[in-house]
Amino acid sequence: MKQILMTGVGAYLPEGILTNDELSKFLDTDDNWIRQRTGIVSRRKANPEELTSDLAVKAAHQALKKSGVAISDIDCIILATTTPDYTFPSTATIVQQKLGAENAFAFDVQAVCAGFVYALSVANGLMSSGQSNNALVIGAETFTKLLDWEDRSTCVLFGDGAGAVVLQAENSKLGYGIIANKLYSDGRYKDILYVDGGVSKTGTVGHVKMRGRDVFKHAVEKLATAMDEVLTLANLTPSDIDWLVPHQANIRIINAMQKKLNLPDEKVIKTVSEHANTSAASIPLALNYGVESGKIKPGHLLALEAIGGGLSWGASLVRYGRPV
Ligand code: ACO
């Protein structure tokens, strides 16, 4: 059976940097509050004319270059986003056109902050069943366009960016590439984190609404269970993990997960201070940082986990790169 290898990672952050101090100039907040509660110091903000698809294309180009796969060989593009360019068509098809990936089918996945883990799992299924050999999986967001800049309890938390990976189905050593995925949802919690607009309900785009404390509690509890279950599925234990690459929403959630898994600082990728919460882009952005900084190397076991609106959450285990 073919393994679904992760052979390239790329990312892109918009140039505009918005610091906590800059936020405090127009909002009743301060650097100390934001840092202490969230670990965030600054975030990137796309220009009004910079679209989610633009960020995604830049990240995809990098991932393709690293993997050595030609655009013409990409046969599937899955893009996780909550901030699409248009209501339709999917942003993935816009990315397909901008990349010139003429041999790919393309679609979006909407699972908010859990979007990348969902997209990875969907790609794994498509590739394992022979429907794709070379896939691009992208998480891209212009989340700052969805915020109420007068609501200090939400607007300080998010940022923009994109990350991408190339997946290749190859006859390879067992235990490489995507090893296991677990996905979960519980729609009973839709009111603790949602956007108060939508085509069907209001005909408007809306803004993010959140009961932060409730989300925090569910995040720690549910991510810990997801990680337990995905490790059990793969017959592995926390001590097998080389790098935890968590969704970057809040440093306190990340630290709680680190503690539950008993992992030292040297095994956890943390980018929330500079990226803030970039929703579906957060894991591939962190992954790219890990690879570019030389921390993540081929053969390392990566544990990915994320939770977001829905609630939707999940975890994946991936042995990065090609067999060494
Ligand atoms: N600056 C200053 N004060 C603020 C700010 C701000 N930006 N935002 C809220 N406050 C005030 C509140 O008004 C409140 O004041 P009050 O006591 O006078 O009423 C006080 O700070 C405490 O507010 P809480 O919401 O109780 O603060 P908490 O300690 O829970 O921290 C936070 C809030 C950071 C949102 C936290 O609950 C959290 O991180 N939750 C997780 C949510 C999350 O990460 N969501 C992202 C999307 S989901 C995901 O990706 C997991």
Side-chain angles (χ1 to χ4, degrees):
M1 193 174 146
K2 289 190 171 175
Q3 309 298 305
I4 312 306
L5 305 181
M6 188 180 281
T7 59
V9 182
Y12 177 76
L13 289 163
E15 284 178 14
I17 298 176
L18 185 58
T19 64
N20 293 344
D21 284 335
E22 282 162 335
L23 281 174
S24 68
K25 287 180 188 155
F26 63 88
L27 205 62
D28 182 16
T29 190
D30 59 77
D31 177 54
N32 194 40
W33 192 97
I34 302 172
R35 254 182 223 245
Q36 284 197 355
R37 306 276 174 138
T38 69
I40 298 165
V41 176
S42 63
R43 70 284 293 140
R44 299 299 181 104
K45 190 168 182 290
N47 294 323
E49 63 276 8
E50 221 171 0
L51 306 184
T52 295
S53 62
D54 297 324
L55 274 49
V57 164
K58 286 180 175 155
H61 273 303
Q62 270 194 22
L64 285 163
K65 199 169 158 198
K66 304 258 188 62
S67 71
V69 174
I71 287 176
S72 56
D73 287 332
I74 292 294
D75 52 21
C76 170
I77 299 173
I78 307 178
L79 188 142
T81 190
T82 297
T83 48
D85 290 9
Y86 298 96
T87 301
F88 82 83
S90 70
T91 305
T93 57
I94 297 167
V95 168
Q96 178 205 13
Q97 179 260 321
K98 287 183 178 174
L99 287 172
E102 289 167 9
N103 299 317
F105 62 92
F107 61 96
D108 287 358
V109 162
Q110 160 52 305
V112 210
C113 297
F116 187 76
V117 172
Y118 267 66
L120 206 60
S121 183
V122 171
N124 186 47
L126 287 168
M127 297 178 87
S128 300
S129 62
Q131 293 177 81
S132 162
N133 287 317
N134 298 300
L136 253 177
V137 177
I138 307 171
E141 302 278 13
T142 48
F143 216 88
T144 62
K145 298 184 184 186
L146 201 53
L147 299 172
D148 173 356
W149 289 98
E150 292 180 358
D151 177 7
R152 66 177 183 173
S153 70
T154 54
C155 76
V156 304
L157 303 175
F158 297 91
D160 300 333
V165 298
V166 170
L167 300 177
Q168 295 186 260
E170 286 181 12
N171 290 318
S172 183
K173 208 167 146 186
L174 204 66
Y176 261 78
I178 299 178
I179 295 171
N181 302 287
K182 281 288 283 179
L183 302 179
Y184 312 77
S185 308
D186 194 334
R188 286 176 301 170
Y189 299 113
K190 73 172 171 32
D191 292 338
I192 68 171
L193 179 56
Y194 68 105
V195 165
D196 63 351
V199 175
S200 173
K201 191 158 175 74
T202 62
T204 60
V205 173
H207 291 125
V208 175
K209 303 284 167 196
M210 182 178 70
R211 298 213 307 260
R213 286 200 174 199
D214 291 337
V215 175
F216 192 99
K217 199 183 75 195
H218 283 292
V220 174
E221 187 189 293
K222 291 183 164 45
L223 289 173
T225 306
M227 197 49 78
D228 267 358
E229 292 187 356
V230 80
L231 283 165
T232 303
L233 193 64
N235 207 16
L236 294 168
T237 68
S239 62
D240 294 310
I241 297 171
D242 290 302
W243 289 101
L244 175 66
V245 189
H247 172 47
Q248 308 283 322
N250 183 311
I251 197 68
R252 293 186 293 143
I253 298 176
I254 296 171
N255 290 343
M257 280 303 294
Q258 175 177 351
K259 202 168 160 202
K260 277 188 189 287
L261 293 166
N262 197 22
L263 295 175
D265 275 344
E266 295 70 41
K267 290 189 167 195
V268 186
I269 302 288
K270 298 179 184 180
T271 54
V272 66
S273 62
E274 311 297 319
H275 297 173
N277 183 349
T278 56
S279 187
S282 127
I283 288 179
L285 273 166
L287 201 52
N288 185 67
Y289 161 76
V291 172
E292 285 297 291
S293 60
K295 292 172 192 271
I296 296 174
K297 295 188 167 54
H300 278 171
L301 181 72
L302 312 179
L304 319 179
E305 42 89 337
I307 184 165
L311 293 174
S312 301
W313 68 103
S316 298
L317 295 171
V318 180
R319 197 169 294 283
Y320 174 71
R322 286 201 165 81
V324 282

